[in-house]
């Protein structure tokens, strides 16, 4: 199974996680400052800036894309509760 290396820039920690893991799950385990509310991709509180490796995450779903647009999120922002790692290196930080 593929693994990804995820760096949480707000706490300067890099961890390895298996493909298919959601960013929010990893964030909770390491104590990153990514906040969340619903975990269902509807509230937008977990918007996260992907500073490197955005192509190493799953594509945004229609719902995630809608929530990101409604919140005027930047080009490389994702919902941590929806984005799943595929492999490779990824760097993220809370918005």
């Amino acid at each position: 199974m593929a693994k990804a290396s995820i760096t949480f820039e707000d706490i300067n920690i890099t961890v390895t996680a298996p493909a298919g893991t959601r960013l929010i799950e990893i964030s909770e385990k390491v104590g990153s400052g990514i906040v969340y509310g619903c975990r269902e991709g509807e509230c937008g509180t977990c918007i996260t800036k992907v500073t490197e490796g955005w192509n190493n995450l799953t594509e945004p779903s229609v719902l995630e894309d809608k929530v990101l647009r409604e919140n005027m999120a930047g080009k490389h922002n994702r919902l941590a509760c929806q984005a799943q790692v595929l492999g490779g290196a990824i760097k993220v930080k809370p918005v």
Side-chain angles (χ1 to χ4, degrees):
M1 176 175 267
K3 295 204 177 234
S5 172
I6 305 99
T7 300
F8 292 87
E9 294 181 330
D10 61 321
I11 57 174
N12 199 30
I13 289 179
T14 301
V15 296
T16 301
T21 308
R22 295 182 190 277
L23 286 177
I24 197 67
E25 296 166 356
I26 307 162
S27 172
E28 287 178 312
K29 289 182 181 176
V30 300
S32 173
I34 298 172
V35 296
Y36 62 92
C38 68
R39 294 185 66 117
E40 301 297 324
E42 295 177 0
C43 71
T45 58
C46 67
I47 293 175
T48 302
K49 175 78 172 174
V50 181
T51 60
E52 185 177 303
W54 50 87
N55 55 332
N56 292 327
L57 297 169
T58 54
E59 290 291 321
S61 67
V62 172
L63 175 61
E64 180 183 2
D65 190 52
K66 177 180 180 274
V67 171
L68 290 169
R69 279 195 324 270
E70 288 172 352
N71 285 279
M72 294 182 278
K75 180 179 179 181
H76 294 298
N77 289 357
R78 294 294 305 272
L79 296 181
C81 72
Q82 298 298 300
Q84 296 178 34
V85 300
L86 297 173
I90 303 162
K91 290 185 179 181
V92 298
K93 64 182 176 182
V95 172

